[in-house]
Amino acid sequence: PGAKAAANAGVVYVSLVDWFCSSKNCPAILNNVLLYIDYSHITTEASKMYSPLLYKELTKFLSDFRRMLSARERVSYADKY
């Protein structure tokens, strides 16, 4: 549901579920790192552990977004001249 709602709103959705959970469970500790501070918030240590993965996902999106903008700018420029 999150991905569909994001698409309808025109925003990027990055699911983190697979980063925290296997098909069997969602461990509280991974690689000696406590993941959750409460039911819906991760610890600072977990944030640091997963930040490279999030950076990679966001970089992919930004690259695609830049290409899309460049294509629109070319079309807009062609329409003007």
Side-chain angles (χ1 to χ4, degrees):
K4 185 176 181 178
N8 290 339
V11 298
V12 177
Y13 176 81
V14 178
S15 175
L16 308 182
V17 172
D18 292 340
W19 299 356
F20 290 90
C21 303
S22 69
S23 60
K24 297 179 183 178
N25 64 14
C26 299
I29 298 173
L30 181 65
N31 298 330
N32 292 323
V33 174
L34 180 65
L35 298 179
Y36 305 98
I37 197 162
D38 63 23
Y39 177 73
S40 61
H41 296 90
I42 63 172
T43 63
T44 300
E45 292 79 13
S47 170
K48 289 176 184 175
M49 184 171 76
Y50 286 110
S51 64
L53 294 173
L54 184 57
Y55 178 82
K56 182 178 176 183
E57 290 297 316
L58 293 176
T59 301
K60 278 194 294 188
F61 163 75
L62 289 174
S63 178
D64 292 344
F65 185 70
R66 285 187 190 116
R67 278 195 294 276
M68 181 186 71
L69 282 181
S70 293
R72 284 185 182 173
E73 288 169 358
R74 285 193 298 272
V75 169
S76 177
Y77 182 81
D79 288 344
K80 288 180 184 176
Y81 302 100

